[in-house]
Amino acid sequence: MGTVVSFALRHRRTPELRTALGKAVALLHEVDREFSPFLPDSAVSRLRRGESGRADTTPAVRRVLELCDLAHSRTRGAFDAWADGRPDPCGLVKGWAAERAWRVLREAGATDVCVNAGGDVRVGGAPGPGGTWRIGIADPRVSGRLLAVVAGRDVAVATSGTTERGAHIIDPRTLSPATGLLGATVTGPELLWADVYATAAMVLGAREAHRWITALPGYALLTVAADGEVRASSDFPLAPLG
């Protein structure tokens, strides 16, 4: 997936947990082999070249393409896996895969778990007795500076923006890079959708994205506009920086 995924667990070491961690890691590698557009023999690469069709590709790819259809509907077309005429589900796959890996560990009995997939984070439980997970959000205006902190015990946090890769998110309505926002962070109950909604917010821009997010129960939005304005939903779970 072109990024690093890390796991943090607070749990006594058991054979069951070691097995579950191995399954979670194997799942991520399998997703990479199947969905990476950088691997010429991946299922997605073959689909993009027209060597296979949607109906006869792998079950996992068919499921993800169905989710992409749903994402297109939920985001009013701002998320479009077919923006260039060929399927590119990368904007959904990372959150989908990380959420699945997190659930593998939770189902194995690990209650206090953090999965960090290149800055998109899914947490459950706590990092220590009586505590809450604290997830930092980088300031896209100043390299190395922290913009905000999200605190929670069962939350997904996903950020899209220009910090790492510049203006790389394409507005499917214009087929040009989306430039209205420098960054968008979405929090909510599931990383798959937090990731999708953060990408969509970059396309929609601050005003439209903040109106749209209010219709999505459980999800909240923080944006940094191109002019530097920072805006957060009233229910965005901000915590003190210190």
Side-chain angles (χ1 to χ4, degrees):
M1 290 179 282
T3 191
V4 174
V5 180
S6 63
F7 299 87
L9 299 92
R10 188 173 70 92
H11 194 278
R12 62 186 181 87
R13 297 181 181 181
T14 64
E16 293 79 12
L17 183 60
R18 286 194 293 271
T19 297
L21 185 57
K23 287 181 178 178
V25 172
L27 181 156
L28 294 173
H29 283 294
E30 178 60 27
V31 168
D32 192 49
R33 285 191 295 270
E34 199 158 16
F35 288 92
S36 174
F38 309 111
L39 299 176
D41 61 343
S42 73
V44 161
S45 291
R46 294 195 299 272
L47 191 64
R48 286 174 59 81
R49 291 194 299 266
E51 295 171 5
S52 64
R54 180 166 178 168
D56 56 8
T57 190
T58 68
V61 172
R62 289 198 300 271
R63 174 56 180 155
V64 164
L65 293 179
E66 290 171 358
L67 289 169
C68 287
D69 291 339
L70 182 57
H72 185 270
S73 174
R74 287 188 178 186
T75 63
R76 304 175 183 175
F79 182 96
D80 190 345
W82 286 264
D84 68 352
R86 299 180 299 167
D88 181 7
C90 288
L92 181 145
V93 166
K94 184 173 69 169
W96 171 76
E99 179 78 24
R100 290 176 65 199
W102 181 83
R103 291 186 182 280
V104 166
L105 296 168
R106 293 278 284 191
E107 289 166 4
T111 57
D112 304 322
V113 183
C114 171
V115 177
N116 184 337
D120 292 342
V121 181
R122 181 66 163 101
V123 299
T132 58
W133 296 100
R134 290 172 55 86
I135 300 106
I137 302 169
D139 192 333
R141 301 166 301 181
V142 181
S143 178
R145 189 168 76 179
L146 200 61
L147 173 67
V149 171
V150 170
R153 296 178 63 88
D154 187 359
V155 66
V157 183
T159 298
S160 292
T162 60
T163 302
E164 299 295 333
R165 298 170 57 192
H168 67 287
I169 295 172
I170 301 300
D171 184 338
R173 302 167 298 187
T174 64
L175 298 183
S176 299
T179 57
L181 293 178
L182 299 178
T185 296
V186 172
T187 63
E190 190 172 356
L191 189 56
L192 185 166
W193 293 111
D195 194 12
V196 165
Y197 296 158
T199 301
M202 290 292 295
V203 170
L204 293 171
R207 181 178 298 179
E208 187 177 355
H210 278 279
R211 285 200 303 264
W212 157 75
I213 204 77
T214 60
L216 302 172
Y219 290 89
L221 174 65
L222 174 73
T223 56
V224 181
D227 62 6
E229 180 188 19
V230 179
R231 180 177 175 183
S233 302
S234 59
D235 53 348
F236 194 87
L238 286 171
L241 286 176

